[in-house]
Amino acid sequence: MIFFGDEESHSKSYWVAAYIDSDYPENYSMEELKPVLLVVEESVHYPLEGSQALLEWSSNAPSGIGYVCLGQTHRILCVSMFHQLHYLRYIRNGIVNPSDPSSSIYHSHNCLNYIRQSILCNSDLTLEPFDPLDRNFTVDRIGATHVCRDWSAVYGEIGSIGDHFGMERRKIQNALHIPVDVYPEPYRFHPCYETLKGK
């Protein structure tokens, strides 16, 4: 665990990143995200299985899947929020398609560990009622209200980058080694294909 002393001084940048090796900014630069409310609730959406399950789970990936190409070198970087959602899709895929080569125990362990660390990083202090024995989840489907950062603005920003670089689905999928079961049609086009295909 690393603690930073002065957050304000830490956030100031006086260099131009080369986007080579570890020389890149810690965060994707965009306008400050406004606070929004999220009410946790039970939902019929995002099931593990069913005719709409794959499409619904893939719908939480923006165009470009959450990757961005930055700097003159077109360095490929992934926005952490979409990396976390990507891992949730892989965990779901491992549950419903255990024979899929990408659904190995090792990969699932990696996904769970990454999500665990992301939860620790967020440190959400919202208080939630503890009533699992008294609550009827069939009727009472609403949980606590959380104050969050506006994720729709992030989708808009990162998705617009992906929309600008529409590429052929199969070529991108092969370049990224992404199984069909994780990202079906319509494919979330990857903005960095021109860089990827040279690798």
Side-chain angles (χ1 to χ4, degrees), residues 81-157:
M81 166 180 157
F82 298 114
H83 196 179
Q84 295 164 34
L85 291 169
H86 160 79
Y87 273 170
L88 283 179
R89 289 190 294 274
Y90 261 103
I91 291 171
R92 176 209 161 266
N93 187 57
I95 294 171
V96 299
N97 298 309
S99 61
D100 188 323
S102 69
S103 301
S104 67
I105 292 295
Y106 174 79
H107 196 172
S108 296
H109 176 224
N110 180 45
C111 294
L112 284 171
N113 236 344
Y114 184 84
I115 293 172
R116 176 186 65 83
Q117 292 174 75
S118 299
I119 292 170
L120 292 175
C121 180
N122 187 48
S123 298
D124 188 347
L125 298 177
T126 303
L127 294 175
E128 301 177 329
F130 183 73
D131 53 1
L133 299 179
D134 301 326
R135 182 176 169 190
N136 184 344
F137 286 89
T138 304
V139 178
D140 186 4
R141 306 175 68 83
I142 304 297
T145 299
H146 297 247
V147 179
C148 312
R149 297 199 296 171
D150 185 3
W151 61 88
S152 66
V154 182
Y155 270 99
E157 172 84 10

